[in-house]
């Protein structure tokens, strides 16, 4: 009878032990990955309190977070986030709609590449922020100039990585597809485009970061709302905790944006073999 009870309990105990072991391993990986961030946060909190840095210029992290909570409660932070996200998402979406088709055409059709390459080489070496005064002169200080700057800065990583992805397809795949009798349209849709998707998403993720970084710089000039405006306004008025709130908010949005793009990338590249940890 005792042996029968032991045989019933042992599988349950082993299952519980496995769950505990999995939880411990997950917790260990989480601590290892976030350890450096926790150390930076602790240093940020401690340094101004012990006098290593001037608290007026680098307030403790807890004070910055408390200010962020106040701005969130009174609605100011949300209004700035909405303004920045609306500009960023519109420009980012338009950049994808321009960069991906144009990159596919340049990468696949030699005639298109020969015709456009001289112009692309000139424009790609012109920094986006250097053109900010031009956009302001032509489009004014309203929404159009900021969105246009985001489109310009985001289009280049998408365009160049799309071209690289199309040209980097294994020639053996193309040759095999042609020997199987695929038409040019079928070859492009079933072979070229799927093989180029991972490289295209590299450019899209880079553009996602650019859409926020360039926009923040644009919002520091001629804007009345947005995270860039919040940062520069807080600096001018010596509201240093609010300035750091804007910086941390941009960081959080960038990380969230990148995470969402990685999920979309996994959805479109589900055929790829995941690397083993």
């Amino acid at each position: 009878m005792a042996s029968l009870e032991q045989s019933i309990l042992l599988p349950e105990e082993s299952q519980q032990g496995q769950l505990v072991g999995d939880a411990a391993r997950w917790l260990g990986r989480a601590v290892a990955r976030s350890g450096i961030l926790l150390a930076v946060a602790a240093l940020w909190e401690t340094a101004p309190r012990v006098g290593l840095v001037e608290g007026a210029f680098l307030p403790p992290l807890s004070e910055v977070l408390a200010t962020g909570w106040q701005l969130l409660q009174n609605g100011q932070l949300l209004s700035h986030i909405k303004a920045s996200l609306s500009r960023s998402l519109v420009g980012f979406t338009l950049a994808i709609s321009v960069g991906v088709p144009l990159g596919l055409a340049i990468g696949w059709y030699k005639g298109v590449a020969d015709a456009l390459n001289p112009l692309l080489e000139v424009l790609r070496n012109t920094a986006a922020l250097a053109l900010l005064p031009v956009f302001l002169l032509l489009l004014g200080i309203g929404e159009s100039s900021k969105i246009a700057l985001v489109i310009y800065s985001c289009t280049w990583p998408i365009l160049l990585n799309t071209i690289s992805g199309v040209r980097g397809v294994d020639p053996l795949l193309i040759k095999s597809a042609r020997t199987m009798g695929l038409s040019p349209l079928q070859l492009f849709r079933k072979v070229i485009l799927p093989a180029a998707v991972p490289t295209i998403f590299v450019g899209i993720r880079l553009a996602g970061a650019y859409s926020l970084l360039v926009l923040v710089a644009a919002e520091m000039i001629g804007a009345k709302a947005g995270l860039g405006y919040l940062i520069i306004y807080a600096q001018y008025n010596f509201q240093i905790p609010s300035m750091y709130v804007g910086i941390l908010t941009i960081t959080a949005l960038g990380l969230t944006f990148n995470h969402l793009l990685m999920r979309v990338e996994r959805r479109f590249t589900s055929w790829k073999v995941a690397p083993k940890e």
Side-chain angles (χ1 to χ4, degrees), residues 58-83:
L58 183 66
L61 179 60
S62 58
E63 183 179 340
V64 174
L65 295 179
T67 303
W69 178 246
Q70 292 175 1
L71 292 175
L72 191 62
Q73 284 184 315
N74 61 29
Q76 292 185 39
L77 185 58
L78 282 179
S79 65
H80 291 305
I81 291 174
K82 288 179 181 178

Side-chain angles (χ1 to χ4, degrees), residues 5-204:
E5 292 178 353
Q6 291 177 354
S7 63
I8 295 175
L9 292 175
L10 282 176
E12 294 180 356
E13 293 177 355
S14 63
Q15 185 176 8
Q16 291 177 355
Q18 184 178 0
L19 291 175
V20 171
D22 292 341
R25 284 191 293 271
W26 179 86
L27 183 61
R29 287 196 297 266
V31 171
R33 291 174 180 176
S34 60
I36 185 64
L37 296 179
L38 295 175
V40 171
L43 180 62
W44 187 350
E45 179 68 25
T46 305
R49 295 190 183 278
V50 300
L52 292 178
V53 295
E54 178 59 49
F57 302 119
L58 183 66
L61 179 60
S62 58
E63 183 179 340
V64 174
L65 295 179
T67 303
W69 178 246
Q70 292 175 1
L71 292 175
L72 191 62
Q73 284 184 315
N74 61 29
Q76 292 185 39
L77 185 58
L78 282 179
S79 65
H80 291 305
I81 291 174
K82 288 179 181 178
S84 292
L85 278 182
S86 61
R87 297 162 181 157
S88 177
L89 290 176
V90 170
F92 177 68
T93 303
L94 291 176
I96 292 177
S97 64
V98 172
V100 172
L102 186 59
L104 293 174
I106 294 174
W108 187 240
Y109 297 105
K110 189 176 183 301
V112 177
D114 293 339
L116 295 180
N117 270 340
L119 178 62
L120 295 181
E121 287 298 325
V122 172
L123 293 179
R124 65 179 289 192
N125 291 294
T126 305
L129 291 179
L131 294 176
L132 177 57
V134 178
F135 286 121
L136 291 175
L137 287 172
L138 296 178
L139 302 174
I141 61 174
E143 300 297 309
S144 299
S145 59
K146 298 173 183 58
I147 293 175
L149 185 67
V150 173
I151 294 173
Y152 180 86
S153 62
C154 291
T155 297
W156 293 109
I158 298 173
L159 176 65
L160 297 178
N161 278 275
T162 302
I163 295 172
S164 176
V166 173
R167 292 178 177 174
V169 178
D170 190 348
L172 291 178
L173 289 177
I174 300 175
K175 185 177 180 180
S176 300
R178 283 173 173 165
T179 57
M180 295 174 63
L182 267 66
S183 65
L185 180 60
Q186 290 175 326
L187 173 65
F188 185 81
R189 184 170 58 88
K190 295 185 178 181
V191 178
I192 303 298
L193 189 57
V197 162
T199 307
I200 293 174
F201 265 98
V202 172
I204 291 176

